[in-house]
PDB file of all heavy atoms in Angstrom:
ATOM      1  N   LEU X 507     -10.495 -15.270   6.803  1.00 98.00           N
ATOM      2  CA  LEU X 507     -10.110 -16.611   6.355  1.00 98.00           C
ATOM      3  C   LEU X 507     -10.709 -16.890   4.988  1.00 98.00           C
ATOM      4  O   LEU X 507     -11.909 -16.680   4.769  1.00 98.00           O
ATOM      5  CB  LEU X 507     -10.600 -17.670   7.342  1.00 98.00           C
ATOM      6  CG  LEU X 507     -10.086 -17.575   8.775  1.00 98.00           C
ATOM      7  CD1 LEU X 507     -10.790 -18.605   9.642  1.00 98.00           C
ATOM      8  CD2 LEU X 507      -8.580 -17.772   8.815  1.00 98.00           C
ATOM      9  N   LEU X 508      -9.890 -17.376   4.076  1.00 98.00           N
ATOM     10  CA  LEU X 508     -10.313 -17.799   2.744  1.00 98.00           C
ATOM     11  C   LEU X 508      -9.828 -19.214   2.525  1.00 98.00           C
ATOM     12  O   LEU X 508      -8.675 -19.523   2.835  1.00 98.00           O
ATOM     13  CB  LEU X 508      -9.723 -16.896   1.654  1.00 98.00           C
ATOM     14  CG  LEU X 508     -10.221 -15.470   1.477  1.00 98.00           C
ATOM     15  CD1 LEU X 508     -11.716 -15.438   1.221  1.00 98.00           C
ATOM     16  CD2 LEU X 508      -9.851 -14.583   2.637  1.00 98.00           C
ATOM     17  N   PRO X 509     -10.670 -20.097   1.977  1.00 98.00           N
ATOM     18  CA  PRO X 509     -10.211 -21.473   1.750  1.00 98.00           C
ATOM     19  C   PRO X 509      -9.285 -21.570   0.550  1.00 98.00           C
ATOM     20  O   PRO X 509      -9.495 -20.920  -0.470  1.00 98.00           O
ATOM     21  CB  PRO X 509     -11.513 -22.229   1.494  1.00 98.00           C
ATOM     22  CG  PRO X 509     -12.420 -21.193   0.882  1.00 98.00           C
ATOM     23  CD  PRO X 509     -12.079 -19.904   1.586  1.00 98.00           C
ATOM     24  N   GLN X 510      -8.258 -22.370   0.679  1.00 97.00           N
ATOM     25  CA  GLN X 510      -7.433 -22.721  -0.467  1.00 97.00           C
ATOM     26  C   GLN X 510      -8.176 -23.770  -1.309  1.00 97.00           C
ATOM     27  O   GLN X 510      -8.907 -24.599  -0.775  1.00 97.00           O
ATOM     28  CB  GLN X 510      -6.101 -23.316  -0.016  1.00 97.00           C
ATOM     29  CG  GLN X 510      -5.147 -22.321   0.616  1.00 97.00           C
ATOM     30  CD  GLN X 510      -4.321 -21.574  -0.430  1.00 97.00           C
ATOM     31  OE1 GLN X 510      -4.737 -21.428  -1.591  1.00 97.00           O
ATOM     32  NE2 GLN X 510      -3.165 -21.088  -0.038  1.00 97.00           N
ATOM     33  N   PRO X 511      -7.999 -23.737  -2.624  1.00 94.00           N
ATOM     34  CA  PRO X 511      -8.551 -24.823  -3.441  1.00 94.00           C
ATOM     35  C   PRO X 511      -7.799 -26.123  -3.162  1.00 94.00           C
ATOM     36  O   PRO X 511      -6.675 -26.103  -2.645  1.00 94.00           O
ATOM     37  CB  PRO X 511      -8.323 -24.341  -4.875  1.00 94.00           C
ATOM     38  CG  PRO X 511      -7.180 -23.385  -4.777  1.00 94.00           C
ATOM     39  CD  PRO X 511      -7.294 -22.730  -3.436  1.00 94.00           C
ATOM     40  N   PRO X 512      -8.402 -27.251  -3.481  1.00 91.00           N
ATOM     41  CA  PRO X 512      -7.714 -28.531  -3.248  1.00 91.00           C
ATOM     42  C   PRO X 512      -6.395 -28.581  -4.006  1.00 91.00           C
ATOM     43  O   PRO X 512      -6.273 -28.088  -5.130  1.00 91.00           O
ATOM     44  CB  PRO X 512      -8.710 -29.568  -3.793  1.00 91.00           C
ATOM     45  CG  PRO X 512     -10.037 -28.880  -3.767  1.00 91.00           C
ATOM     46  CD  PRO X 512      -9.765 -27.427  -4.024  1.00 91.00           C
ATOM     47  N   LEU X 513      -5.400 -29.197  -3.379  1.00 91.00           N
ATOM     48  CA  LEU X 513      -4.106 -29.346  -4.030  1.00 91.00           C
ATOM     49  C   LEU X 513      -4.185 -30.347  -5.184  1.00 91.00           C
ATOM     50  O   LEU X 513      -4.841 -31.381  -5.072  1.00 91.00           O
ATOM     51  CB  LEU X 513      -3.058 -29.826  -3.025  1.00 91.00           C
ATOM     52  CG  LEU X 513      -2.471 -28.778  -2.080  1.00 91.00           C
ATOM     53  CD1 LEU X 513      -1.537 -29.446  -1.082  1.00 91.00           C
ATOM     54  CD2 LEU X 513      -1.741 -27.693  -2.866  1.00 91.00           C
ATOM     55  N   GLY X 514      -3.536 -30.010  -6.260  1.00 93.00           N
ATOM     56  CA  GLY X 514      -3.429 -30.932  -7.375  1.00 93.00           C
ATOM     57  C   GLY X 514      -2.152 -31.759  -7.296  1.00 93.00           C
ATOM     58  O   GLY X 514      -1.446 -31.741  -6.282  1.00 93.00           O
ATOM     59  N   GLU X 515      -1.863 -32.470  -8.366  1.00 93.00           N
ATOM     60  CA  GLU X 515      -0.658 -33.308  -8.427  1.00 93.00           C
ATOM     61  C   GLU X 515       0.072 -33.055  -9.742  1.00 93.00           C
ATOM     62  O   GLU X 515      -0.549 -32.839 -10.781  1.00 93.00           O
ATOM     63  CB  GLU X 515      -1.039 -34.792  -8.348  1.00 93.00           C
ATOM     64  CG  GLU X 515      -1.659 -35.209  -7.027  1.00 93.00           C
ATOM     65  CD  GLU X 515      -1.968 -36.690  -6.989  1.00 93.00           C
ATOM     66  OE1 GLU X 515      -1.651 -37.390  -7.981  1.00 93.00           O
ATOM     67  OE2 GLU X 515      -2.528 -37.144  -5.989  1.00 93.00           O
ATOM     68  N   HIS X 516       1.366 -33.039  -9.661  1.00 94.00           N
ATOM     69  CA  HIS X 516       2.203 -32.939 -10.858  1.00 94.00           C
ATOM     70  C   HIS X 516       2.664 -34.357 -11.235  1.00 94.00           C
ATOM     71  O   HIS X 516       2.992 -35.163 -10.362  1.00 94.00           O
ATOM     72  CB  HIS X 516       3.428 -32.068 -10.554  1.00 94.00           C
ATOM     73  CG  HIS X 516       4.252 -31.785 -11.761  1.00 94.00           C
ATOM     74  ND1 HIS X 516       5.254 -32.625 -12.186  1.00 94.00           N
ATOM     75  CD2 HIS X 516       4.217 -30.755 -12.641  1.00 94.00           C
ATOM     76  CE1 HIS X 516       5.810 -32.126 -13.260  1.00 94.00           C
ATOM     77  NE2 HIS X 516       5.196 -30.977 -13.560  1.00 94.00           N
ATOM     78  N   PRO X 517       2.623 -34.716 -12.521  1.00 92.00           N
ATOM     79  CA  PRO X 517       2.401 -33.868 -13.699  1.00 92.00           C
ATOM     80  C   PRO X 517       0.958 -33.873 -14.208  1.00 92.00           C
ATOM     81  O   PRO X 517       0.684 -33.349 -15.289  1.00 92.00           O
ATOM     82  CB  PRO X 517       3.335 -34.500 -14.735  1.00 92.00           C
ATOM     83  CG  PRO X 517       3.262 -35.956 -14.396  1.00 92.00           C
ATOM     84  CD  PRO X 517       3.161 -36.041 -12.895  1.00 92.00           C
ATOM     85  N   ARG X 518       0.026 -34.448 -13.437  1.00 93.00           N
ATOM     86  CA  ARG X 518      -1.355 -34.503 -13.927  1.00 93.00           C
ATOM     87  C   ARG X 518      -1.962 -33.106 -14.072  1.00 93.00           C
ATOM     88  O   ARG X 518      -2.630 -32.807 -15.067  1.00 93.00           O
ATOM     89  CB  ARG X 518      -2.203 -35.336 -12.965  1.00 93.00           C
ATOM     90  CG  ARG X 518      -3.652 -35.543 -13.429  1.00 93.00           C
ATOM     91  CD  ARG X 518      -4.494 -36.145 -12.324  1.00 93.00           C
ATOM     92  NE  ARG X 518      -4.610 -35.224 -11.190  1.00 93.00           N
ATOM     93  CZ  ARG X 518      -5.136 -35.550 -10.022  1.00 93.00           C
ATOM     94  NH1 ARG X 518      -5.562 -36.791  -9.805  1.00 93.00           N
ATOM     95  NH2 ARG X 518      -5.216 -34.656  -9.048  1.00 93.00           N
ATOM     96  N   ASP X 519      -1.746 -32.221 -13.083  1.00 93.00           N
ATOM     97  CA  ASP X 519      -2.348 -30.887 -13.063  1.00 93.00           C
ATOM     98  C   ASP X 519      -1.286 -29.864 -13.442  1.00 93.00           C
ATOM     99  O   ASP X 519      -0.473 -29.458 -12.612  1.00 93.00           O
ATOM    100  CB  ASP X 519      -2.918 -30.589 -11.674  1.00 93.00           C
ATOM    101  CG  ASP X 519      -3.957 -31.610 -11.248  1.00 93.00           C
ATOM    102  OD1 ASP X 519      -4.945 -31.771 -11.981  1.00 93.00           O
ATOM    103  OD2 ASP X 519      -3.760 -32.249 -10.190  1.00 93.00           O
ATOM    104  N   LEU X 520      -1.300 -29.456 -14.694  1.00 93.00           N
ATOM    105  CA  LEU X 520      -0.228 -28.608 -15.211  1.00 93.00           C
ATOM    106  C   LEU X 520      -0.581 -27.131 -15.252  1.00 93.00           C
ATOM    107  O   LEU X 520       0.312 -26.293 -15.449  1.00 93.00           O
ATOM    108  CB  LEU X 520       0.144 -29.074 -16.627  1.00 93.00           C
ATOM    109  CG  LEU X 520       0.724 -30.486 -16.728  1.00 93.00           C
ATOM    110  CD1 LEU X 520       0.986 -30.843 -18.180  1.00 93.00           C
ATOM    111  CD2 LEU X 520       2.007 -30.598 -15.906  1.00 93.00           C
ATOM    112  N   LEU X 521      -1.853 -26.776 -15.078  1.00 93.00           N
ATOM    113  CA  LEU X 521      -2.265 -25.381 -15.208  1.00 93.00           C
ATOM    114  C   LEU X 521      -2.482 -24.748 -13.834  1.00 93.00           C
ATOM    115  O   LEU X 521      -2.822 -25.427 -12.864  1.00 93.00           O
ATOM    116  CB  LEU X 521      -3.555 -25.291 -16.030  1.00 93.00           C
ATOM    117  CG  LEU X 521      -3.447 -25.801 -17.465  1.00 93.00           C
ATOM    118  CD1 LEU X 521      -4.798 -25.691 -18.162  1.00 93.00           C
ATOM    119  CD2 LEU X 521      -2.378 -25.032 -18.232  1.00 93.00           C
ATOM    120  N   PRO X 522      -2.321 -23.416 -13.734  1.00 93.00           N
ATOM    121  CA  PRO X 522      -2.541 -22.740 -12.447  1.00 93.00           C
ATOM    122  C   PRO X 522      -4.020 -22.773 -12.068  1.00 93.00           C
ATOM    123  O   PRO X 522      -4.901 -22.836 -12.929  1.00 93.00           O
ATOM    124  CB  PRO X 522      -2.072 -21.305 -12.717  1.00 93.00           C
ATOM    125  CG  PRO X 522      -2.195 -21.136 -14.192  1.00 93.00           C
ATOM    126  CD  PRO X 522      -1.906 -22.473 -14.791  1.00 93.00           C
ATOM    127  N   ASN X 523      -4.311 -22.736 -10.755  1.00 92.00           N
ATOM    128  CA  ASN X 523      -5.702 -22.775 -10.299  1.00 92.00           C
ATOM    129  C   ASN X 523      -6.031 -21.668  -9.308  1.00 92.00           C
ATOM    130  O   ASN X 523      -7.072 -21.691  -8.675  1.00 92.00           O
ATOM    131  CB  ASN X 523      -6.036 -24.133  -9.677  1.00 92.00           C
ATOM    132  CG  ASN X 523      -5.305 -24.384  -8.364  1.00 92.00           C
ATOM    133  OD1 ASN X 523      -4.368 -23.667  -8.019  1.00 92.00           O
ATOM    134  ND2 ASN X 523      -5.732 -25.410  -7.650  1.00 92.00           N
ATOM    135  N   ARG X 524      -5.141 -20.680  -9.152  1.00 93.00           N
ATOM    136  CA  ARG X 524      -5.431 -19.556  -8.263  1.00 93.00           C
ATOM    137  C   ARG X 524      -4.521 -18.392  -8.628  1.00 93.00           C
ATOM    138  O   ARG X 524      -3.472 -18.578  -9.246  1.00 93.00           O
ATOM    139  CB  ARG X 524      -5.244 -19.951  -6.797  1.00 93.00           C
ATOM    140  CG  ARG X 524      -3.810 -20.103  -6.362  1.00 93.00           C
ATOM    141  CD  ARG X 524      -3.660 -20.985  -5.141  1.00 93.00           C
ATOM    142  NE  ARG X 524      -3.587 -22.379  -5.554  1.00 93.00           N
ATOM    143  CZ  ARG X 524      -3.330 -23.379  -4.727  1.00 93.00           C
ATOM    144  NH1 ARG X 524      -3.188 -23.153  -3.435  1.00 93.00           N
ATOM    145  NH2 ARG X 524      -3.238 -24.607  -5.170  1.00 93.00           N
ATOM    146  N   ALA X 525      -4.958 -17.191  -8.232  1.00 96.00           N
ATOM    147  CA  ALA X 525      -4.136 -15.994  -8.433  1.00 96.00           C
ATOM    148  C   ALA X 525      -4.249 -15.131  -7.188  1.00 96.00           C
ATOM    149  O   ALA X 525      -5.346 -14.876  -6.699  1.00 96.00           O
ATOM    150  CB  ALA X 525      -4.605 -15.217  -9.658  1.00 96.00           C
ATOM    151  N   VAL X 526      -3.097 -14.710  -6.665  1.00 97.00           N
ATOM    152  CA  VAL X 526      -3.031 -13.817  -5.516  1.00 97.00           C
ATOM    153  C   VAL X 526      -2.445 -12.499  -5.999  1.00 97.00           C
ATOM    154  O   VAL X 526      -1.372 -12.476  -6.622  1.00 97.00           O
ATOM    155  CB  VAL X 526      -2.156 -14.415  -4.390  1.00 97.00           C
ATOM    156  CG1 VAL X 526      -2.082 -13.459  -3.215  1.00 97.00           C
ATOM    157  CG2 VAL X 526      -2.704 -15.773  -3.954  1.00 97.00           C
ATOM    158  N   ILE X 527      -3.148 -11.401  -5.720  1.00 98.00           N
ATOM    159  CA  ILE X 527      -2.757 -10.076  -6.201  1.00 98.00           C
ATOM    160  C   ILE X 527      -2.404  -9.219  -5.001  1.00 98.00           C
ATOM    161  O   ILE X 527      -3.143  -9.197  -3.996  1.00 98.00           O
ATOM    162  CB  ILE X 527      -3.889  -9.425  -7.025  1.00 98.00           C
ATOM    163  CG1 ILE X 527      -4.141 -10.228  -8.309  1.00 98.00           C
ATOM    164  CG2 ILE X 527      -3.548  -7.991  -7.384  1.00 98.00           C
ATOM    165  CD1 ILE X 527      -5.155 -11.318  -8.201  1.00 98.00           C
ATOM    166  N   LEU X 528      -1.278  -8.503  -5.071  1.00 98.00           N
ATOM    167  CA  LEU X 528      -0.827  -7.641  -3.986  1.00 98.00           C
ATOM    168  C   LEU X 528      -0.749  -6.194  -4.455  1.00 98.00           C
ATOM    169  O   LEU X 528      -0.442  -5.914  -5.617  1.00 98.00           O
ATOM    170  CB  LEU X 528       0.545  -8.097  -3.486  1.00 98.00           C
ATOM    171  CG  LEU X 528       0.590  -9.488  -2.857  1.00 98.00           C
ATOM    172  CD1 LEU X 528       2.031  -9.877  -2.566  1.00 98.00           C
ATOM    173  CD2 LEU X 528      -0.239  -9.534  -1.588  1.00 98.00           C
ATOM    174  N   TRP X 529      -1.022  -5.281  -3.521  1.00 98.00           N
ATOM    175  CA  TRP X 529      -0.997  -3.856  -3.823  1.00 98.00           C
ATOM    176  C   TRP X 529       0.395  -3.279  -3.567  1.00 98.00           C
ATOM    177  O   TRP X 529       1.227  -3.893  -2.875  1.00 98.00           O
ATOM    178  CB  TRP X 529      -2.047  -3.136  -2.987  1.00 98.00           C
ATOM    179  CG  TRP X 529      -3.349  -2.995  -3.720  1.00 98.00           C
ATOM    180  CD1 TRP X 529      -3.934  -1.838  -4.162  1.00 98.00           C
ATOM    181  CD2 TRP X 529      -4.246  -4.042  -4.123  1.00 98.00           C
ATOM    182  NE1 TRP X 529      -5.123  -2.104  -4.812  1.00 98.00           N
ATOM    183  CE2 TRP X 529      -5.332  -3.450  -4.805  1.00 98.00           C
ATOM    184  CE3 TRP X 529      -4.231  -5.429  -3.992  1.00 98.00           C
ATOM    185  CZ2 TRP X 529      -6.388  -4.183  -5.326  1.00 98.00           C
ATOM    186  CZ3 TRP X 529      -5.277  -6.173  -4.509  1.00 98.00           C
ATOM    187  CH2 TRP X 529      -6.339  -5.556  -5.175  1.00 98.00           C
ATOM    188  N   ALA X 530       0.650  -2.091  -4.090  1.00 97.00           N
ATOM    189  CA  ALA X 530       1.989  -1.502  -4.049  1.00 97.00           C
ATOM    190  C   ALA X 530       2.490  -1.291  -2.632  1.00 97.00           C
ATOM    191  O   ALA X 530       3.699  -1.335  -2.379  1.00 97.00           O
ATOM    192  CB  ALA X 530       1.987  -0.163  -4.798  1.00 97.00           C
ATOM    193  N   PHE X 531       1.591  -1.081  -1.667  1.00 97.00           N
ATOM    194  CA  PHE X 531       1.994  -0.815  -0.285  1.00 97.00           C
ATOM    195  C   PHE X 531       2.019  -2.083   0.572  1.00 97.00           C
ATOM    196  O   PHE X 531       2.245  -2.007   1.789  1.00 97.00           O
ATOM    197  CB  PHE X 531       1.058   0.219   0.358  1.00 97.00           C
ATOM    198  CG  PHE X 531      -0.398  -0.144   0.242  1.00 97.00           C
ATOM    199  CD1 PHE X 531      -1.006  -0.997   1.148  1.00 97.00           C
ATOM    200  CD2 PHE X 531      -1.174   0.387  -0.793  1.00 97.00           C
ATOM    201  CE1 PHE X 531      -2.347  -1.334   1.043  1.00 97.00           C
ATOM    202  CE2 PHE X 531      -2.518   0.064  -0.906  1.00 97.00           C
ATOM    203  CZ  PHE X 531      -3.106  -0.801   0.017  1.00 97.00           C
ATOM    204  N   SER X 532       1.784  -3.252  -0.035  1.00 98.00           N
ATOM    205  CA  SER X 532       1.708  -4.504   0.719  1.00 98.00           C
ATOM    206  C   SER X 532       3.083  -5.157   0.807  1.00 98.00           C
ATOM    207  O   SER X 532       3.636  -5.603  -0.196  1.00 98.00           O
ATOM    208  CB  SER X 532       0.711  -5.464   0.062  1.00 98.00           C
ATOM    209  OG  SER X 532      -0.582  -4.903   0.042  1.00 98.00           O
ATOM    210  N   ASP X 533       3.614  -5.228   2.021  1.00 96.00           N
ATOM    211  CA  ASP X 533       4.916  -5.842   2.278  1.00 96.00           C
ATOM    212  C   ASP X 533       4.742  -7.355   2.319  1.00 96.00           C
ATOM    213  O   ASP X 533       4.008  -7.879   3.165  1.00 96.00           O
ATOM    214  CB  ASP X 533       5.452  -5.321   3.612  1.00 96.00           C
ATOM    215  CG  ASP X 533       6.814  -5.894   3.983  1.00 96.00           C
ATOM    216  OD1 ASP X 533       7.309  -6.801   3.283  1.00 96.00           O
ATOM    217  OD2 ASP X 533       7.372  -5.444   4.997  1.00 96.00           O
ATOM    218  N   THR X 534       5.408  -8.075   1.439  1.00 93.00           N
ATOM    219  CA  THR X 534       5.223  -9.521   1.347  1.00 93.00           C
ATOM    220  C   THR X 534       5.756 -10.267   2.569  1.00 93.00           C
ATOM    221  O   THR X 534       5.445 -11.443   2.751  1.00 93.00           O
ATOM    222  CB  THR X 534       5.911 -10.079   0.092  1.00 93.00           C
ATOM    223  OG1 THR X 534       7.301  -9.717   0.119  1.00 93.00           O
ATOM    224  CG2 THR X 534       5.259  -9.527  -1.164  1.00 93.00           C
ATOM    225  N   THR X 535       6.544  -9.608   3.425  1.00 95.00           N
ATOM    226  CA  THR X 535       7.021 -10.246   4.654  1.00 95.00           C
ATOM    227  C   THR X 535       6.110  -9.964   5.847  1.00 95.00           C
ATOM    228  O   THR X 535       6.429 -10.373   6.966  1.00 95.00           O
ATOM    229  CB  THR X 535       8.446  -9.783   4.987  1.00 95.00           C
ATOM    230  OG1 THR X 535       8.432  -8.380   5.318  1.00 95.00           O
ATOM    231  CG2 THR X 535       9.388 -10.015   3.814  1.00 95.00           C
ATOM    232  N   ASP X 536       4.986  -9.296   5.624  1.00 97.00           N
ATOM    233  CA  ASP X 536       4.078  -8.925   6.715  1.00 97.00           C
ATOM    234  C   ASP X 536       3.558 -10.193   7.403  1.00 97.00           C
ATOM    235  O   ASP X 536       2.941 -11.044   6.752  1.00 97.00           O
ATOM    236  CB  ASP X 536       2.906  -8.117   6.153  1.00 97.00           C
ATOM    237  CG  ASP X 536       2.103  -7.411   7.230  1.00 97.00           C
ATOM    238  OD1 ASP X 536       1.780  -8.057   8.239  1.00 97.00           O
ATOM    239  OD2 ASP X 536       1.803  -6.217   7.059  1.00 97.00           O
ATOM    240  N   PRO X 537       3.764 -10.345   8.716  1.00 96.00           N
ATOM    241  CA  PRO X 537       3.351 -11.577   9.393  1.00 96.00           C
ATOM    242  C   PRO X 537       1.840 -11.737   9.522  1.00 96.00           C
ATOM    243  O   PRO X 537       1.368 -12.830   9.848  1.00 96.00           O
ATOM    244  CB  PRO X 537       4.006 -11.451  10.773  1.00 96.00           C
ATOM    245  CG  PRO X 537       4.181  -9.985  10.980  1.00 96.00           C
ATOM    246  CD  PRO X 537       4.466  -9.417   9.624  1.00 96.00           C
TER     247      PRO X 537
END
């Protein structure tokens, strides 16, 4: 378990606040 950062609001928060990186063998539909 990893915590998500607090949600921002548009249009006040315009910049990204997280990055998720996936490896070549990682199926994005994996449940």
Side-chain angles (χ1 to χ4, degrees):
L507 300 174
L508 289 303
Q510 289 275 25
L513 281 175
E515 295 182 2
H516 187 273
R518 184 191 65 189
D519 302 303
L520 296 177
L521 298 179
N523 68 347
R524 73 202 86 173
V526 179
I527 295 90
L528 296 173
W529 267 247
F531 53 84
S532 299
D533 180 353
T534 56
T535 66
D536 194 314

